[in-house]
Amino acid sequence: MDEDVAGAEAPKAARPRKPRVDVASRDAKLKESRTAEGMAKRQRDISVSEFFAKNRHLLGFDNPAKALLTTVKELVDNALDACDEARIPADIEIRIDALSEERFRVSCRDNGPGIVPRNVPSVFGKLLYGSKFHRLKMSRGQQGIGVSAAGMYGLLTTGKPVQVISRTSSKKLAYRCDIAIDTQRNEPAVKLEKEIEWEHPQGTQVEIELEAQYRKGQHSVDNYVLQISLANPHAQLRYLPPWREQPDEAVVYARVTEQMPPETAEIKPHPYGVELGVLMQMLRESKARSVASLLCEEFSRISPRVADEITAKAGFASTLKPTKVSEAQVIALHAAIAATKIMAPSTDCIAPIGEELLLRALAAVHPSPFPTTVTRKPSVYRGNPFLIEVGLAYGGDLPAEESATMYRYANRVPLQYQQGACAVTRAITATEWKSYGLSQPRGAMPIGPLVILVHIASVWVPFTSESKEAIAHYPEIIKEIKLGLQDCGRRLGAHMRRRRREADEEKKRGYIQKYIPHLASALQEILGLSDPDREHTVETLTTLLERSRKL
Ligand SMILES: Nc1ncnc2c1ncn2[C@@H]1O[C@H](COP(=O)(O)OP(=O)(O)O)[C@@H](O)[C@H]1O
Ligand SMILES: [Mg+2]
């Protein structure tokens, strides 16, 4: 495996003589390097791109199969975000072309608003650049490292820049730009730039070439596209997998509704979620006249009256200038916020998929005799509003002997990795599925022909890491998921009992059916009935049995 080791076994004669080492000067250098001065020479800034290039696993690029999925995911998330924000029903084409077994070209085209040419280089060639980080609004991306990280991975593994075509209006030409990322400076390096004709009136197309692997199964791109269609019933998806027989052979997930998801509002942070350090910095940098006006302007749900109440509790005047607040006073202020009753955040900032649409999407992908969905009321964790949706599909051609299939989502994005670390898994395994008629090994997923879908929607989803694969274990979140599962579970339980009762009845009816002719023959013998009378008795008894079915 390790080529360097193999190389070290070259014949001894060929090995060059080692130069002699000046021991004294080497030791002196070593000593110097261990001092504060010596260390100072090595201390310098680390650019974010350099950091993530080395720690690519943090962003979901830990192996070639996952790199392919992550790349597709970042592109599709952005396309859906852009279309939703522009209120355009998304039409997305995802294409993967295999250049070899371990090299692929991923392309994603949307019909969204496009990106203005002057911002294209930074969007694709600079990490931590985006429109979503500095706001609290429900969206798929949040940190501004998604697509540029995918581009960087492509560049690192193939040397090829990201190819972007973007058109903001049918009245303008399209803009084509090839972008590499200068990892040391975290700056874009534009390789090519020109205006071109494009057959599409508006939208963005991004192409990334990368070293990767195409796999089937739970973690596959195929599965991702299927899951995306479930949580985005308003989007139309065309997916062209690698190694197609025909160049335009596509898997199409048609939209099941023309209705766009409700528009969501951007909100200010709720005071219950603010951390002490953040509050300190806000006060230090504030241009507000008074602490009261800072609290009212920067947070949601703080009225002048509530601001007075908070500062009174903290033991200083609400008219105090924020920059004049001492450290002890900030600590008191932070405690006072927690001790004051403040209205829960408004919840018009989160849009559920909706029970009806989720049901339709579920039926389109997994036709089953028993589908059910629940959208819970919004709730709050650390000052952030969130909402849970649960869907179950039972029966049909789902595998009966295996663990239930789980689909986890955050803001309509499927989460396919880190299942064990996710709050959703915890909530499912902690639910008593036996009481709903399913078998369940201790502390594990239930067994049966079942799909369990859980969606968390929030302005700020608490992921366990930058690669956004699992939801952190906030008790408030786990509790809400469990309540959603129980709502659906009870309905499933009722369905299972009804089914069992019907099966029991069917079995009994089968016995009776079998004995009717014998009964008629016995009656014929005892009562001396004629053959037609015996036939008549059989008929009457059968009709009676049939009628009992309808009761
Ligand atoms: N297909 C697209 N259409 C329009 N805007 C886009 C598109 N892709 C990316 N963007 C813009 O580029 C920004 C950076 O994207 P990204 O690096 O994925 O970060 P994030 O999605 O977390 O903000 C986005 O915030 C968005 O403003
Ligand atoms: Mg993104």
Side-chain angles (χ1 to χ4, degrees):
M1 219 176 94
D2 194 338
E3 282 164 23
D4 289 347
V5 174
E9 282 166 10
K12 278 199 174 111
R15 214 179 260 178
R17 277 259 212 94
K18 273 190 189 165
R20 218 188 276 161
V21 187
D22 179 346
V23 178
S25 101
R26 190 192 62 185
D27 285 356
K29 266 195 200 140
L30 212 65
K31 215 167 164 187
E32 202 256 355
S33 79
R34 287 175 186 154
T35 63
E37 277 303 323
M39 284 182 191
K41 283 185 192 149
R42 297 192 299 274
Q43 286 160 348
R44 60 187 175 92
D45 280 338
I46 301 153
S47 101
V48 263
S49 1
E50 240 180 329
F51 174 79
F52 282 119
K54 273 198 181 164
N55 293 290
R56 51 184 79 163
H57 59 279
L58 293 179
L59 300 180
F61 292 92
D62 16 9
N63 63 60
K66 200 167 161 189
L68 189 70
L69 175 67
T70 304
T71 302
V72 171
K73 202 171 159 163
E74 294 300 347
L75 295 178
V76 175
D77 286 358
N78 282 352
L80 286 167
D81 266 348
C83 291
D84 283 2
E85 208 171 321
R87 311 297 295 159
I88 299 168
D91 251 313
I92 296 177
E93 185 177 284
I94 306 147
R95 172 194 294 262
I96 304 180
D97 289 304
L99 307 174
S100 74
E101 286 283 339
E102 59 264 344
R103 197 185 253 224
F104 296 83
R105 191 185 305 119
V106 173
S107 161
C108 174
R109 176 166 49 76
D110 63 56
N111 60 336
I115 306 168
V116 294
R118 66 172 182 283
N119 282 2
V120 168
S122 296
V123 161
F124 297 96
K126 191 179 174 95
L127 262 65
L128 293 179
Y129 180 92
S131 52
K132 304 165 201 166
F133 185 80
H134 297 280
R135 67 174 194 195
L136 281 179
K137 188 176 191 308
M138 181 180 160
S139 59
R140 296 167 181 82
Q142 56 189 28
Q143 293 132 326
I145 33 185
V147 75
S148 23
M152 183 169 79
Y153 180 83
L155 184 73
L156 286 172
T157 55
T158 69
K160 292 276 165 60
V162 183
Q163 285 187 23
V164 182
I165 299 175
S166 179
R167 190 172 185 186
T168 53
S169 144
S170 58
K171 295 191 190 76
K172 290 183 183 159
L173 283 171
Y175 169 74
R176 154 92 196 264
C177 187
D178 291 4
I179 309 133
I181 181 165
D182 175 346
T183 36
Q184 251 146 52
R185 290 167 46 238
N186 186 32
E187 286 292 339
V190 173
K191 298 290 175 192
L192 179 145
E193 196 177 19
K194 62 179 176 192
E195 286 192 316
I196 58 161
E197 299 277 350
W198 201 35
E199 67 264 41
H200 307 284
Q202 190 180 309
T204 305
Q205 173 180 303
V206 186
E207 262 183 46
I208 296 176
E209 201 170 311
L210 72 161
E211 254 182 29
Q213 233 168 43
Y214 174 77
R215 292 263 175 79
K216 296 275 184 190
Q218 192 199 340
H219 297 324
S220 65
V221 177
D222 300 20
N223 197 301
Y224 163 78
V225 181
L226 177 148
Q227 289 193 46
I228 268 285
S229 82
L230 268 174
N232 299 273
H234 64 295
Q236 173 100 3
L237 306 166
R238 243 171 82 80
Y239 168 49
L240 296 92
W243 294 298
R244 321 179 271 284
E245 306 255 294
Q246 302 296 324
D248 57 355
E249 183 187 313
V251 185
V252 177
Y253 293 95
R255 58 171 56 86
V256 301
T257 174
E258 294 297 322
Q259 194 186 320
M260 287 293 287
E263 202 153 7
T264 53
E266 195 175 327
I267 61 159
K268 288 178 192 162
H270 191 273
Y272 281 167
V274 72
E275 269 142 4
L276 181 60
V278 177
L279 188 63
M280 279 181 179
Q281 189 175 350
M282 284 173 85
L283 287 160
R284 220 182 301 131
E285 289 171 3
S286 172
K287 290 195 177 70
R289 274 189 339 277
S290 65
V291 172
S293 69
L294 174 126
L295 291 177
C296 295
E297 276 159 31
E298 298 292 326
F299 293 102
S300 67
R301 302 304 202 198
I302 296 199
S303 62
R305 197 188 52 75
V306 175
D308 284 347
E309 194 185 329
I310 293 172
T311 46
K313 269 198 194 122
F316 58 85
S318 66
T319 49
L320 189 65
K321 218 173 144 65
T323 44
K324 294 270 158 33
V325 177
S326 72
E327 202 175 308
Q329 283 170 327
V330 190
I331 295 172
L333 185 67
H334 191 249
I337 288 175
T340 305
K341 210 169 155 48
I342 304 169
M343 216 174 151
S346 78
T347 48
D348 57 355
C349 51
I350 28 185
I353 302 167
E355 292 180 353
E356 162 67 24
L357 288 183
L358 195 56
L359 199 67
R360 261 197 259 166
L362 205 54
V365 173
H366 290 295
S368 92
F370 181 78
T372 185
T373 54
V374 157
T375 298
R376 301 269 316 158
K377 286 222 172 59
S379 185
V380 178
Y381 84 91
R382 254 190 54 203
N384 293 312
F386 74 97
L387 173 152
I388 296 295
E389 296 188 273
V390 174
L392 295 184
Y394 183 86
D397 47 12
L398 292 160
E401 309 295 324
E402 293 166 24
S403 287
T405 303
M406 164 166 64
Y407 293 144
R408 298 175 284 139
Y409 293 91
N411 286 357
R412 297 173 184 252
V413 177
L415 312 176
Q416 284 165 281
Y417 278 91
Q418 298 272 343
Q419 181 171 316
C422 189
V424 172
T425 314
R426 165 79 64 86
I428 294 177
T429 53
T431 298
E432 292 284 341
W433 293 94
K434 283 199 179 122
S435 46
Y436 310 131
L438 292 173
S439 64
Q440 179 186 24
R442 239 182 116 77
M445 294 285 291
I447 307 230
L450 179 67
V451 167
I452 309 173
L453 180 155
V454 176
H455 177 220
I456 165 171
S458 179
V459 289
W460 191 261
V461 179
F463 290 111
T464 56
S465 82
E466 290 84 345
S467 58
K468 305 195 285 190
E469 290 163 341
I471 314 280
H473 291 70
Y474 280 96
E476 300 90 328
I477 295 180
I478 294 185
K479 183 177 152 210
E480 268 302 308
I481 300 175
K482 277 172 81 175
L483 288 172
L485 290 167
Q486 286 162 8
D487 285 349
C488 287
R490 275 190 292 273
R491 293 181 203 161
L492 175 63
H495 166 79
M496 300 284 272
R497 280 193 297 278
R498 192 168 54 242
R499 242 185 41 154
R500 197 160 301 144
R501 208 172 45 235
E502 281 167 9
D504 276 357
E505 256 177 49
E506 206 49 47
K507 210 159 141 195
K508 281 183 199 146
R509 204 167 273 127
Y511 287 140
I512 298 174
Q513 193 108 49
K514 218 161 103 192
Y515 284 110
I516 288 176
H518 299 285
L519 203 66
S521 302
L523 285 174
Q524 183 177 29
E525 246 184 71
I526 298 167
L527 303 175
L529 299 179
S530 64
D531 280 356
D533 274 348
R534 190 199 60 209
E535 285 308 311
H536 183 68
T537 311
V538 170
E539 247 168 59
T540 313
L541 288 173
T542 310
T543 318
L544 253 171
L545 190 65
E546 274 311 309
R547 237 196 276 149
S548 79
R549 189 194 294 274
K550 288 187 191 95
L551 287 178

